[in-house]
């Protein structure tokens, strides 16, 4: 924790408690004021030096690339998409004539979109073929953001990591990030960038300072003002800019499951948070209604001590395995055909939680298989294959977690894991640290069989039910909502049942 100002420990403490009340699992909080970091804290095992998946915070990074490209004359806001991508067929209707760079930056392409859409192949081709919606206007969409990224890629001849490294990442002292790409090598525009919380705070502060960092002009000044200004108004003082959210003068980069990086001009402050939650609005409200009071009140020794004691409780203490385990280490187990079919009803079973696989650019198409196990006095080791990738995860049994580095579909992960026994079952807690999810895995052995059950947080079931249907649709079709809710619950309860493996 850093404390270089008179931020009130009382209201920082109350902010954390409010997050708990709202069911928000916070992994990191960083506050900058007047350009300096005044508070920074992470819940173990998350840390300042570990990049995290950003989900839709990625969109604001894409916006930054667009700002550079426009300033360099590669294209303009009013250029038509059909003119920039003439290789795709498009008719000359008014809808196509109105489809401009500006429209995709403001989520106003009017193209149909599903957030579960496969991003693996030619994303631009899918966008160009997609029909136009009957209901015109703003519709939040990964597709629109990807078109913006694809334009920069095509006209610069570089993907976004290559393009932004000399312009943004290197000048701000940001390590070259991992960014999900499709099979064409395009960085996915709607999601998929991995950055540290400190990196995001720097970018946000740079926007707040008119694009300057360390006295140097980094981001074009005109773009920092235009991108963070309301371009599509939802209601008074609230709307959307160019891949930024704006509300009451506060501009934000936001991502699924509660990633929010905001600039609050009233206090000349950047508040950056990493969370794992379904209740995304809970964190936003807590920042405005509770944490903001930390700028208005001074701290006291009593509250400093209380906050310090609370922060110690944010560490995860692995549970020690108290029983001697007896598992087969000389066998290879294969998923039964029935379990294989059930598991693939939603998304294929993977060590990476389902709350993430919905946004993968290169998604696993088959379940993991060929499970085998090793055991020492202190470590339970799980080995399996996911579409040719050999995955090995070491789980500490002695109350100490183990770290394993794995790669699935080209995605690198650092896995933090421990295991213990309960009622004859082995329970493993697995955290891919550069994500925001936790996988809970139960292993139950029966001679030549093993049952494996996987559940993750945030709950993908809850996310589907909360986000699959729009508020307006739900308002007008409550019976259909009830039917869809029941269907999804049945489907998820089926796919999350234990998977059976047999030795062969």
């Amino acid at each position: 924790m850093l404390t270089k100002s008179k931020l009130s420990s009382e209201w920082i403490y109350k902010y954390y408690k409010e997050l708990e009340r709202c069911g928000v699992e916070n992994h990191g909080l960083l506050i900058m004021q007047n350009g300096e970091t005044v508070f920074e804290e992470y819940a173990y095992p998350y840390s300042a030096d570990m990049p995290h998946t950003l989900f839709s915070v990625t969109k604001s990074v894409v916006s930054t690339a667009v700002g550079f490209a426009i300033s360099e004359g590669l294209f303009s806001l009013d250029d038509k998409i059909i003119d920039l991508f003439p290789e795709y067929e498009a008719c000359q209707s008014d809808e196509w004539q109105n489809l401009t760079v500006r429209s995709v930056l403001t989520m106003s392409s009017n193209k149909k979109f599903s957030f579960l859409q496969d991003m693996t192949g030619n994303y631009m081709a899918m966008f160009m073929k997609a029909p136009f919606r009957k209901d015109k206007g703003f519709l939040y969409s990964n597709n629109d953001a990807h078109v913006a990224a694809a334009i920069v890629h095509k006209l610069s001849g570089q993907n976004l990591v290559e393009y932004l490294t000399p312009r943004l990442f290197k000048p701000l002292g940001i390590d070259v990030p991992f960014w999900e790409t499709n099979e064409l090598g395009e960085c996915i525009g709607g999601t998929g960038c991995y950055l540290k919380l400190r990196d995001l705070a720097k970018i946000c502060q740079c926007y707040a300072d008119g694009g300057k960092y360390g006295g140097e002009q980094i981001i074009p000044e005109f773009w920092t003002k235009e991108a963070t200004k309301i371009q599509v108004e939802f209601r008074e003082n609230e709307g959307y800019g160019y891949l930024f959210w704006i509300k009451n003068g506060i501009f934000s980069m936001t991502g699924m499951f509660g990633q929010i990086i905001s600039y609050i001009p009233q206090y000349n402050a950047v508040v950056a948070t990493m969370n794992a939650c379904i209740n995304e609005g809970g964190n936003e409200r807590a920042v405005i209604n509770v944490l903001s009071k930390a700028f208005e009140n001074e701290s006291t020794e009593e509250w400093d001590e209380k906050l310090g004691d609370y922060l110690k409780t944010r560490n995860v203490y692995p549970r020690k395995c108290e029983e001697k385990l007896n598992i087969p280490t000389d066998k290879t187990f294969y998923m039964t055909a029935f379990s294989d079919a059930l598991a693939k009803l939603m998304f294929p079973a993977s060590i990476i939680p389902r709350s993430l696989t919905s946004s993968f650019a290169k998604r696993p198409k088959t379940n993991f298989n060929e499970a085998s196990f090793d055991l020492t006095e202190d470590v339970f080791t799980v080995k399996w294959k996911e579409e040719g990738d050999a995955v090995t995860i070491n789980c500490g049994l002695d109350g100490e977690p183990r770290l394993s580095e794995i790669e699935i579909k080209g995605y690198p992960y650092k896995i933090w894991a421990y295991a213990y026994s309960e009622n004859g079952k082995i329970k493993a807690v697995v955290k891919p640290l550069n994500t925001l999810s936790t996988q809970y895995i139960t292993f139950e052995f029966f001679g030549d069989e093993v049952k494996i059950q996987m559940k993750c947080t945030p709950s993908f079931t809850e996310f589907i039910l909360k986000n699959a249907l729009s508020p307006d649709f739900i308002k007008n079709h409550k019976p259909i909502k009830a039917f869809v809710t029941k269907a999804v619950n049945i489907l998820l309860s089926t796919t999350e049942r234990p998977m059976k493996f047999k030795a062969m």
Side-chain angles (χ1 to χ4, degrees):
M1 177 178 65
L2 301 175
T3 52
K4 297 181 181 177
S5 73
K6 296 181 179 180
L7 287 181
S8 168
S9 295
E10 175 184 359
W11 290 99
I12 295 176
Y13 171 84
K14 289 179 177 178
Y15 166 73
Y16 281 118
K17 298 302 287 185
E18 177 65 10
L19 293 186
E20 286 185 6
R21 189 188 71 79
C22 294
V24 177
E25 180 184 319
N26 175 264
H27 292 168
L29 170 64
L30 189 153
I31 303 173
M32 297 180 73
Q33 189 172 33
N34 301 322
E36 291 189 15
T37 300
V38 294
F39 184 89
E40 184 176 14
E41 189 270 340
Y42 299 85
Y44 177 80
Y46 305 96
S47 64
D49 60 359
M50 177 58 68
H52 288 261
T53 182
L54 308 182
F55 296 107
S56 287
V57 173
T58 300
K59 294 178 174 66
S60 299
V61 183
V62 171
S63 174
T64 308
V66 171
F68 282 115
I70 289 176
S71 72
E72 293 167 9
L74 295 185
F75 55 85
S76 74
L77 286 169
D78 295 318
D79 282 349
K80 299 172 185 176
I81 302 303
I82 54 174
D83 293 338
L84 297 174
F85 294 92
E87 63 270 32
Y88 299 108
E89 291 185 10
C91 66
Q92 298 300 312
S93 66
D94 289 343
E95 291 173 314
W96 282 105
Q97 295 301 314
N98 293 329
L99 182 52
T100 63
V101 174
R102 191 190 308 273
S103 68
V104 297
L105 289 172
T106 56
M107 299 293 177
S108 304
S109 72
N110 296 323
K111 285 277 194 169
K112 285 190 175 180
F113 162 73
S114 167
F115 82 96
L116 294 177
Q117 181 173 304
D118 191 333
M119 306 174 188
T120 306
N122 189 330
Y123 208 157
M124 272 305 304
M126 290 188 286
F127 175 86
M128 298 300 278
K129 290 178 181 178
F132 286 94
R133 296 181 284 113
K134 292 182 180 179
D135 298 328
K136 309 303 181 185
F138 180 91
L139 178 66
Y140 194 70
S141 160
N142 282 338
N143 287 18
D144 286 13
H146 182 77
V147 173
I151 294 169
V152 176
H153 187 154
K154 181 179 182 181
L155 298 184
S156 71
Q158 298 177 301
N159 69 30
L160 264 62
V161 171
E162 296 166 337
Y163 184 73
L164 286 173
T165 293
R167 294 168 173 82
L168 180 71
F169 300 140
K170 188 174 180 180
L172 294 187
I174 296 173
D175 294 335
V176 178
F178 175 78
W179 197 320
E180 299 174 23
T181 60
N182 60 16
E183 292 174 348
L184 301 180
E186 297 172 337
C187 292
I188 299 301
T191 183
C193 187
Y194 292 65
L195 289 169
K196 302 170 188 174
L197 200 56
R198 290 175 175 177
D199 300 336
L200 297 168
K202 282 183 185 178
I203 294 172
C204 189
Q205 184 67 56
C206 193
Y207 267 88
D209 292 338
K212 289 187 176 181
Y213 179 77
E216 298 292 327
Q217 190 71 44
I218 307 301
I219 304 171
E221 183 179 10
F222 86 95
W223 192 253
T224 65
K225 299 183 184 307
E226 292 300 308
T228 61
K229 180 173 69 177
I230 293 177
Q231 304 291 342
V232 178
E233 189 171 37
F234 306 147
R235 52 191 67 87
E236 187 177 1
N237 296 323
E238 183 177 349
Y240 200 68
Y242 294 143
L243 304 181
F244 280 84
W245 296 91
I246 301 100
K247 186 175 183 179
N248 297 324
I250 299 170
F251 67 79
S252 303
M253 305 183 281
T254 70
M256 187 169 71
F257 297 124
Q259 318 326 307
I260 304 181
I261 301 87
S262 300
Y263 175 68
I264 308 176
Q266 180 181 354
Y267 308 111
N268 191 23
V270 171
V271 176
T273 62
M274 288 286 191
N275 303 290
C277 66
I278 299 298
N279 181 15
E280 297 175 347
N283 180 61
E284 181 182 2
R285 290 189 295 272
V287 169
I288 301 304
N289 298 332
V290 182
L291 185 60
S292 63
K293 294 180 182 178
F295 299 102
E296 302 169 354
N297 296 274
E298 293 190 4
S299 197
T300 64
E301 288 187 13
E302 178 185 358
W303 279 106
D304 285 346
E305 183 177 348
K306 191 168 185 177
L307 175 62
D309 290 342
Y310 172 79
L311 294 180
K312 293 176 184 178
T313 69
R314 282 167 51 77
N315 293 337
V316 176
Y317 296 99
R319 182 170 168 180
K320 185 176 181 180
C321 184
E322 303 289 353
E323 302 175 17
K324 184 176 181 179
L325 302 182
N326 182 22
I327 63 171
T329 58
D330 58 347
K331 298 177 180 178
T332 300
F333 298 82
Y334 298 86
M335 190 182 295
T336 64
F338 182 70
S339 288
D340 183 61
L342 283 182
K344 286 190 292 191
L345 285 176
M346 282 296 293
F347 290 102
S350 169
I351 188 61
I352 302 303
R354 281 186 179 149
S355 55
L356 294 176
T357 53
S358 63
S359 62
F360 272 8
K362 298 176 183 175
R363 301 176 184 174
K365 297 294 192 294
T366 60
N367 295 311
F368 67 82
N369 212 330
E370 293 190 44
S372 60
F373 308 91
D374 284 333
L375 183 66
T376 67
E377 183 178 354
D378 295 330
V379 178
F380 170 58
T381 300
V382 182
K383 301 178 181 180
W384 56 51
K385 289 186 178 180
E386 295 199 19
E387 296 188 350
D389 290 318
V391 179
T392 299
I393 296 176
N394 295 310
C395 307
L397 296 171
D398 54 359
E400 294 292 333
R402 299 297 191 272
L403 282 174
S404 308
E405 294 192 13
I406 68 171
E407 187 172 296
I408 300 176
K409 302 289 287 186
Y411 293 65
Y413 295 98
K414 290 192 175 183
I415 303 293
W416 178 98
Y418 68 93
Y420 59 94
S421 59
E422 186 177 86
N423 299 323
K425 302 176 182 178
I426 299 174
K427 298 196 171 185
V429 178
V430 178
K431 288 180 177 287
L433 289 181
N434 47 337
T435 79
L436 295 160
S437 300
T438 303
Q439 189 84 286
Y440 298 91
I441 312 175
T442 300
F443 302 88
E444 191 172 7
F445 292 90
F446 306 91
D448 286 341
E449 292 185 2
V450 58
K451 288 183 179 180
I452 303 176
Q453 184 171 24
M454 310 176 82
K455 290 188 176 183
C456 71
T457 58
S459 168
F460 188 64
T461 307
E462 290 184 53
F463 179 77
I464 287 287
L465 295 178
K466 180 178 175 63
N467 296 283
L469 301 176
S470 70
D472 289 339
F473 184 90
I474 290 172
K475 180 180 178 180
N476 297 317
H477 301 83
K478 289 185 179 180
I480 295 180
K481 180 204 172 184
F483 172 78
V484 171
T485 300
K486 185 174 182 179
V488 171
N489 276 324
I490 292 173
L491 183 60
L492 268 295
S493 65
T494 299
T495 57
E496 291 181 353
R497 66 186 297 176
M499 296 168 286
K500 186 180 291 187
F501 287 68
K502 287 189 176 182
M504 297 183 183

